[in-house]
Amino acid sequence: MSTLTAITIRPELLENQDYILQQALAKAKIKPAAVKDWGIRKRSIDARNKPVKLQLQIEIWQQDEQRKPLNRFEPKEVSSAPKIAIIGAGPAGLYAALRAIEAGLKPIVFERGKDVRERRRDLAKINKEQLVNPESNYCFGEGGAGTYSDGKLYTRSKKRGNVLKGLEWLVHFGADEDILVDAHPHIGTNKLPKVISAMREAIIAAGGEVHFNAKLTDLRIENKVLKGIEINKQQRYAFDEVVLATGHSARDIFYLLHEKGVKIEAKPFALGVRAEHQQEVINYIQYHGETDNPYLPPAAYSLVEQVDGMGVYSFCMCPGGIIAPCATQQEEVVTNGWSPSKRNNPYANSGIVVSVEPKDLPNYTPDDPFVSLNFQKEVERACWIAGGKTQQVPAQRMTDFVNGRISNDFPKTSYQPGIVSADLNKVLPKLIANRLKKAFVLFNKKMPGYLSKDAVLHAPESRTSSPVSIPRNPETLEHIEVQGLYPCGEGAGYAGGIMSAAIDGINCVDAIAKKYQLV
């Protein structure tokens, strides 16, 4: 068994391996001659005080101890194995397919969008021509919403499954091993597509199938037992097991389930704006003015407050990032953020959102599964109208928003389709706008300088999570009323990011494999 010990160093000493080992051995009281191997287990920044430091967790193996190898993907040949359908090729769907192959099941993946390479053309059209392809965009397509919106891998869902295995599979398919060490691992939008492609190739090589431009349009259910699916209103397939991993923006799936009499429920979600500062401003605040240290990465932040009974918090913070247009229909606007692997853009952006319970919404009734979704849609359409009915978004300087003034001009922002000056106090619902205003004042007490005239708010940030949940049996992970249907990942309400969705995909297939007595 290895020894773990924690040390703190200055950032510029990270490259000095001899110094790190010396400090770790002294802390652990281990003699150098006893060391067989060692490595950094976890790495994080401690910016609570000046000077900024790095916290390292060092793992040491002595002469009689063996380093455990990485979890590698171990495929089986599944061409003739029992088939399962997986709807969606986001992290939940891809990990479900990979786990199926390991378990001896043949995954057949149906993805409504295009592969990662073809998706790029449609993303360019959103940014440059402001045209939204409803089947291929930042949310739909191979890899899901995370592929072209950052690739953050941080999750608090440690109890939901094997997070380390999920990260190690990413390394197996080409991600940098740093993701195993960093406290907030991040691949980057420029690197993640290659990893996703490698996963698809492995699925096909093992005998699985991946179909693009293949949209689920119907489910065949008999006596509350799933019997098959329909794709593109044309092809019909018989399946006994279907993993439904369609993501948080596949609204048509929610409507389809409701029409088929499959129970769905409104769930809490969050909605607000995406705030953008100059990255050097965030660096100055977070690093206590220490902005000239080349060994410090672009600074991030995490903020949360309770305002009038609702949580207001930062979401998907992107150091050195870009704000992207993430609508899935033409008559709506949606923002999200992403960063390249080096996080070297001059901007820092983050969603600042208000937690919303269905009961807090207008027209709430306990039996309406669409009350949260309808509220989300209304805000996105209102912002589309305020932005000029294009993919431009309504925007306001942060100080102007707090003080109720229209912004007459703006600093340059990273949002490529463009911004339109608007009073977000009038565009956003009052229960959102009023709490955001108070939160920005409170955030400024935690991060002096955060409430800035040069910070620009882009509206809305509305796709933080699914506004609908699909209830399932906690033991079998099947829908509570439909045998053979496995609601999975973010779209079903069981995940909140790339890794938690991936883990849920694994868990759903484990439940299927158990039924087949394969585990």
Side-chain angles (χ1 to χ4, degrees):
M1 186 174 178
S2 61
T3 300
L4 290 175
T5 188
I7 64 171
T8 301
I9 67 169
R10 286 285 288 151
E12 57 267 25
L13 292 171
L14 184 60
E15 304 291 326
N16 192 331
Q17 300 287 290
D18 291 339
Y19 176 82
I20 292 172
L21 178 58
Q22 180 184 12
Q23 296 298 308
L25 293 179
K27 181 78 176 290
K29 298 180 180 179
I30 296 174
K31 294 181 178 180
V35 177
K36 181 179 181 180
D37 199 359
W38 72 282
I40 299 174
R41 177 77 169 269
K42 282 296 174 188
R43 177 175 60 222
S44 62
I45 295 174
D46 182 359
R48 291 172 293 179
N49 299 294
K50 187 176 181 179
V52 179
K53 296 180 180 179
L54 292 182
Q55 292 181 329
L56 304 180
Q57 186 183 66
I58 308 299
E59 188 166 13
I60 302 168
W61 292 267
Q62 299 189 52
Q63 294 299 336
D64 57 345
E65 298 168 342
Q66 192 69 33
R67 183 195 283 247
K68 183 181 177 182
L70 295 181
N71 281 298
R72 314 297 292 183
F73 171 62
E74 298 178 357
K76 297 177 181 177
E77 168 54 48
V78 296
S79 299
S80 302
K83 299 176 181 179
I84 66 170
I86 297 171
I87 312 299
L94 288 173
Y95 270 69
L98 294 169
R99 179 66 188 121
I101 288 168
E102 278 199 337
L105 295 165
K106 179 176 180 175
I108 302 180
V109 181
F110 297 95
E111 167 55 51
R112 69 192 297 165
K114 302 177 183 179
D115 65 48
V116 286
R117 178 173 293 181
E118 289 297 314
R119 279 180 78 183
R120 288 194 180 102
R121 298 178 183 178
D122 295 309
L123 303 187
K125 287 183 179 179
I126 298 174
N127 280 297
K128 297 176 182 178
E129 302 175 37
Q130 306 194 25
L131 297 175
V132 180
N133 182 335
E135 308 302 339
S136 178
N137 43 63
Y138 277 95
C139 292
F140 298 152
E142 186 179 21
T147 302
Y148 287 106
S149 55
D150 206 56
K152 290 185 185 68
L153 306 176
Y154 178 64
T155 179
R156 293 185 177 91
S157 306
K158 309 298 183 184
K159 295 181 180 179
R160 295 186 183 180
N162 192 337
V163 176
L164 181 60
K165 179 177 180 177
L167 292 171
E168 289 178 336
W169 273 11
L170 286 168
V171 172
H172 174 87
F173 288 107
D176 194 291
E177 288 194 19
D178 276 353
I179 67 171
L180 305 177
V181 174
D182 288 331
H184 291 77
H186 170 253
I187 293 180
T189 296
N190 55 318
K191 292 187 175 182
L192 189 54
K194 291 182 179 179
V195 176
I196 298 301
S197 296
M199 289 181 171
R200 180 222 313 154
E201 291 166 2
I203 292 167
I204 295 171
E209 299 178 18
V210 181
H211 301 275
F212 297 109
N213 300 302
K215 181 179 179 178
L216 177 69
T217 49
D218 201 4
L219 296 166
R220 185 162 65 90
I221 301 170
E222 298 177 5
N223 299 318
K224 297 189 176 182
V225 177
L226 185 69
K227 295 295 185 179
I229 61 174
E230 176 191 83
I231 300 296
N232 294 336
K233 297 184 177 181
Q234 295 177 340
Q235 300 90 13
R236 292 174 174 82
Y237 303 88
F239 283 104
D240 294 324
E241 324 290 343
V242 175
V243 176
L244 191 64
T246 49
H248 59 45
S249 292
R251 293 167 171 169
D252 57 301
I253 297 300
F254 302 138
Y255 295 129
L256 171 62
L257 293 173
H258 188 62
E259 290 168 5
K260 304 293 292 188
V262 178
K263 184 177 179 61
I264 60 175
E265 299 170 334
K267 68 175 278 292
F269 71 115
L271 190 146
V273 297
R274 187 149 284 265
E276 183 173 78
H277 294 76
Q278 287 291 314
Q279 181 63 54
E280 61 184 17
V281 171
I282 301 302
N283 291 347
Y284 186 87
I285 296 171
Q286 295 296 78
Y287 293 151
H288 314 287
E290 188 180 347
T291 58
D292 57 352
N293 188 333
Y295 297 95
L296 287 174
Y301 63 83
S302 178
L303 294 165
V304 61
E305 288 285 353
Q306 281 292 317
V307 181
D308 297 339
M310 292 183 182
V312 184
Y313 59 94
S314 58
F315 170 82
C316 182
M317 195 274 147
C318 302
I322 298 290
I323 298 178
C326 292
T328 52
Q329 296 289 334
Q330 194 65 39
E331 296 187 359
E332 65 188 23
V333 291
V334 179
T335 65
N336 200 352
W338 62 271
S339 300
S341 57
K342 292 183 179 180
R343 293 177 163 172
N344 56 356
N345 284 295
Y347 309 101
N349 70 74
S350 178
I352 305 296
V353 294
V354 179
S355 296
V356 179
E357 295 280 342
K359 63 181 176 57
D360 298 320
L361 298 174
N363 305 318
Y364 167 74
T365 57
D367 58 348
D368 181 4
F370 297 115
V371 63
S372 296
L373 175 58
N374 288 338
F375 182 79
Q376 183 188 61
K377 290 172 64 176
E378 288 167 6
V379 172
E380 292 172 0
R381 180 170 174 80
C383 289
W384 173 73
I385 293 171
K389 298 184 178 182
T390 68
Q391 283 305 298
Q392 295 183 109
V393 296
Q396 196 168 12
R397 290 179 184 262
M398 188 184 289
T399 49
D400 288 343
F401 172 66
V402 170
N403 294 313
R405 297 190 301 256
I406 292 287
S407 299
N408 295 320
D409 58 6
F410 290 98
K412 185 177 180 181
T413 83
S414 67
Y415 186 75
Q416 192 170 349
I419 60 177
V420 174
S421 180
D423 186 354
L424 298 183
N425 290 285
K426 296 179 180 178
V427 176
L428 296 173
K430 289 188 181 301
L431 73 89
I432 301 296
N434 290 345
R435 288 171 173 84
L436 286 175
K437 285 198 295 186
K438 293 178 181 180
F440 288 130
V441 174
L442 294 171
F443 290 165
N444 196 61
K445 294 179 180 179
K446 293 181 175 180
M447 292 178 59
Y450 184 84
L451 178 53
S452 166
K453 69 179 182 63
D454 292 325
V456 180
L457 307 181
H458 304 63
E461 170 79 31
S462 53
R463 305 286 177 95
T464 59
S465 64
S466 174
V468 174
S469 67
I470 309 173
R472 68 187 186 190
N473 184 304
E475 298 297 325
T476 67
L477 303 192
E478 293 170 293
H479 187 275
I480 58 172
E481 297 176 348
V482 181
Q483 181 181 323
L485 179 64
Y486 295 81
C488 182
E490 284 202 44
Y494 299 101
I498 290 175
M499 289 315 303
S500 57
I503 291 165
D504 201 53
I506 290 174
N507 291 343
C508 285
V509 171
D510 281 346
I512 296 171
K514 185 177 181 181
K515 183 187 289 190
Y516 281 82
Q517 298 183 334
L518 296 174
V519 294

